Amino acid sequence: GAGVSQSPSNKVTEKGKDVELRCDPISGHTALYWYRQSLGQGLEFLIYFQGNSAPDKSGLPSDRFSAERTGGSVSTLTIQRTQQEDSAVYLCASSLGLPPAVEQFFGPGTRLTVL
Amino acid sequence: TQLLEQSPQFLSIQEGENLTVYCNSSSVFSSLQWYRQEPGEGPVLLVTVVTGGEVKKLKRLTFQFGDARKDSSLHITAAQPGDTGLYLCAGAPADNDYKLSFGAGTTVTVRA
């Protein structure tokens, strides 16, 4: 498959535990985005990677959230000491080239449930 | 608080009817995108509009960008059950055009 893939598809964890969410973007796409989608809400921007530039982390909601992108490809979003309000669907997207008006291709998301 | 307000939140219509979804903001955007999302999947881009007053047609879907580039609408003619889904608008601000602001979405159900 040539699309964006994310793993795991579902993750249930206990409050206080750390979780790692993985995103494999489309090969050759230089830009990678992470979003959070809560029930009844639109997508909330979290972080943006573009090539070798410093990422825009301005959307990360707290210092418990971090993300990295290794080798310009795979990305991992880490949430430390998870809280119940972190429960949401975490979506990753990638795009080829620079904005504006560049199509973002989304993965199916990881549904995170914090008990 | 959503930067982009979508209305209505829910829409249920009979096959063959027309529908319109609205996306409004007090902010100006350099471009605006419409996506459709189905359960368990990520959003899929339908269209991007970049010019104030622009109208784009995609088969039975018509998209309009307001003259002031603050609002947009999506009109579906003769809706079909396959049009069922969550429709999301997303605006790109001029200063950070990769940082899309999404509306909360309109859930459309087309009954056969």
Side-chain angles (χ1 to χ4, degrees), chain B residues 27-88:
Chain B
S27 300
V28 175
F29 297 104
S30 62
S31 66
L32 195 139
Q33 300 180 334
W34 284 93
Y35 291 82
R36 185 171 78 195
Q37 185 179 21
E38 301 193 21
E41 299 181 8
V44 175
L45 181 67
L46 297 173
V47 79
T48 301
V49 285
V50 295
T51 305
E54 181 177 3
V55 176
K56 277 193 174 179
K57 293 192 174 184
L58 186 67
K59 296 183 179 179
R60 294 177 293 100
L61 278 61
T62 302
F63 304 85
Q64 186 162 10
F65 201 12
D67 291 342
R69 305 207 314 276
K70 295 181 179 181
D71 53 81
S72 181
S73 64
L74 157 62
H75 182 79
I76 301 179
T77 304
Q80 299 176 359
D83 296 325
T84 293
L86 177 67
Y87 289 82
L88 296 158

Side-chain angles (χ1 to χ4, degrees), chain A residues 37-43, chain B residues 5-14 18-22 34-39 74 76 79-89 103-111:
Chain A
Q37 187 173 29
S38 303
L39 193 63
Q41 302 289 325
L43 278 68
Chain B
E5 297 292 333
Q6 280 190 244
S7 62
Q9 187 177 359
F10 298 96
L11 197 54
S12 180
I13 61 171
Q14 200 70 32
N18 302 331
L19 68 95
T20 302
V21 177
Y22 299 93
W34 284 93
Y35 291 82
R36 185 171 78 195
Q37 185 179 21
E38 301 193 21
L74 157 62
I76 301 179
Q80 299 176 359
D83 296 325
T84 293
L86 177 67
Y87 289 82
L88 296 158
C89 64
T106 296
T107 299
V108 172
T109 303
V110 182
R111 305 184 305 274

Side-chain angles (χ1 to χ4, degrees), chain A residues 33 35 37 40-43 45 48 56 58 91 99-104 106-109, chain B residues 2 30-31 33 35 37 40-43 45 48 50 86 88 97-100 102-104:
Chain A
Y33 315 74
Y35 295 90
Q37 187 173 29
Q41 302 289 325
L43 278 68
F45 168 85
Y48 166 70
D56 181 345
S58 60
L91 291 159
V102 172
E103 180 173 4
Q104 296 185 25
F106 283 84
Chain B
Q2 299 283 157
S30 62
S31 66
Q33 300 180 334
Y35 291 82
Q37 185 179 21
E41 299 181 8
L45 181 67
T48 301
V50 295
L86 177 67
L88 296 158
D97 50 18
Y98 54 83
K99 197 180 290 186
L100 294 178
F102 280 81

